[in-house]
Amino acid sequence: MRTKLLITGSSGTLGRVLLKAFATRGIPVVGLDIKQNNPVINSGSIKYYNCSITDRGSMAAIFKKEKPTHVLHLACSYNTIRDRDLEYENDVVGSKKVIEVTNATPSVKQFIYFSSGAAYGGVKKNKPWLSEDTPLRPGKYRYGLNKKCIEEKLLKAKLRPGLKTVILRICTVVGPGYDKDRSVVSILIKFPYMLKMCKSNMVQFLHEEDFVEIMYHVINDGEAEGVFNLASDTAVIVKNLVPGKKYVHIPLWLLKSIFTILWNLKLLNLQPACLSYSVYPVVIDPSRIIKRYNYRFRYSSKKAFEETKKKNMLNPKEKL
């Protein structure tokens, strides 16, 4: 059977990157998103559907019609919803429905869930290069907590024989296609001041070209199964990444109050709970996936960030 991909969250940054990359290689791709799908490339090998992952019936009809061989599950709210119950319904309950529909579709041979390094949590025990065996402790950070919940549901699900499941815990993917405003990357690029607590922290970025190449290996790997960290094999200290920034000291209790206000006013797309990641950063170890595919990265974390900054993908008038 010819490879055919179905990507949930196809209107998001990573969804668009994958749609374009795989369609360019002649692989049929089905994009599914609750947002309006703006075509990223004129190709007869791409189809778009406006559908929520909470709508099991509509999803089932699309899966039955399209008969994908691979499902790449990217869809998530990523801090855009301030209502915890609604966010859980969209992300966790919706993901459970994607898993169920995938399991009920015989054509699907591989299910790939895109989790996040955020699932590890910003905790005191963190040391650079967390392996896949590190316990997940996202605390109250809802994005990381949802990722952990979905992973648990997938690992506990009773799936049919022949359906391989892969969980990818990814770091921040950047490059020419990066367009997330009010994010950590946006702050690093545009804001003249940085928190003193972050000055010596390590940050990790994966260039979208490396992301695409590794994903190409994964979808062509009929035996891949289990959990893999997907990240660059390098990290960089903040002060070396953005030299010339001014560093200010703000007590953590005051910072949490400021973040809470900005979060509630929708001026910042970072939850107050994510401040723990500034104190105890997450740097993940990609050794398992590197070894499996004998992969050599084209970009270091620093070069990936520099290219993102150079391309000036972020509008300076956007709010942080």
Side-chain angles (χ1 to χ4, degrees), residues 1-2 20 23 30 50 67 69-70 73 94 111-112 127 157 165 179 190 203 206 215 217 252 260 262 276:
M1 182 182 293
R2 184 185 181 189
K20 183 175 181 179
V30 177
N50 289 119
K67 295 181 175 58
T69 59
H70 299 65
H73 180 34
F111 179 81
I112 303 172
K127 293 182 180 179
T165 60
D179 63 354
K190 298 190 292 182
V203 289
L206 177 66
M215 288 309 306
H217 284 295
L252 190 58
T260 299
L262 294 176
S276 62

Side-chain angles (χ1 to χ4, degrees), residues 12 18 123-124 154 168-169 172 200 246 254 292:
L18 292 177
V123 297
K124 191 174 183 178
L154 178 57
L168 299 175
R169 294 176 185 153
T172 302
S200 299
K246 296 179 181 179
L254 178 58
R292 187 172 186 90

Side-chain angles (χ1 to χ4, degrees), residues 102-136:
T102 297
N103 193 43
T105 307
S107 62
V108 182
K109 305 303 179 185
Q110 185 185 59
F111 179 81
I112 303 172
Y113 173 58
F114 291 82
S115 185
S116 169
Y120 288 111
V123 297
K124 191 174 183 178
K125 293 183 179 180
N126 281 358
K127 293 182 180 179
W129 311 113
L130 302 175
S131 74
E132 291 86 348
D133 299 323
T134 303
L136 304 182

Side-chain angles (χ1 to χ4, degrees), residues 168 214 218 228-230 286-293:
L168 299 175
I214 293 175
V218 174
F228 297 88
N229 286 335
L230 179 50
S287 296
R288 183 177 293 178
I289 206 164
I290 290 174
K291 183 178 180 180
R292 187 172 186 90
Y293 301 118

Side-chain angles (χ1 to χ4, degrees), residues 84 118-119 138-150:
R84 172 56 179 154
K140 295 182 179 180
Y141 183 37
R142 293 187 337 215
Y143 175 69
L145 185 59
N146 286 346
K147 292 295 186 183
K148 178 185 177 183
C149 289
I150 298 164

Side-chain angles (χ1 to χ4, degrees), residues 242-294:
V242 284
K245 297 280 186 179
K246 296 179 181 179
Y247 293 88
V248 295
H249 173 70
I250 301 177
L252 190 58
W253 65 266
L254 178 58
L255 198 58
K256 287 182 178 178
S257 299
I258 294 172
F259 265 54
T260 299
I261 294 171
L262 294 176
W263 167 258
N264 289 330
L265 292 175
K266 299 184 180 180
L267 297 176
L268 188 71
N269 203 28
L270 297 171
Q271 297 171 16
C274 77
L275 282 171
S276 62
Y277 294 78
S278 297
V279 182
Y280 307 112
V282 172
V283 177
I284 60 179
D285 181 6
S287 296
R288 183 177 293 178
I289 206 164
I290 290 174
K291 183 178 180 180
R292 187 172 186 90
Y293 301 118
N294 193 27

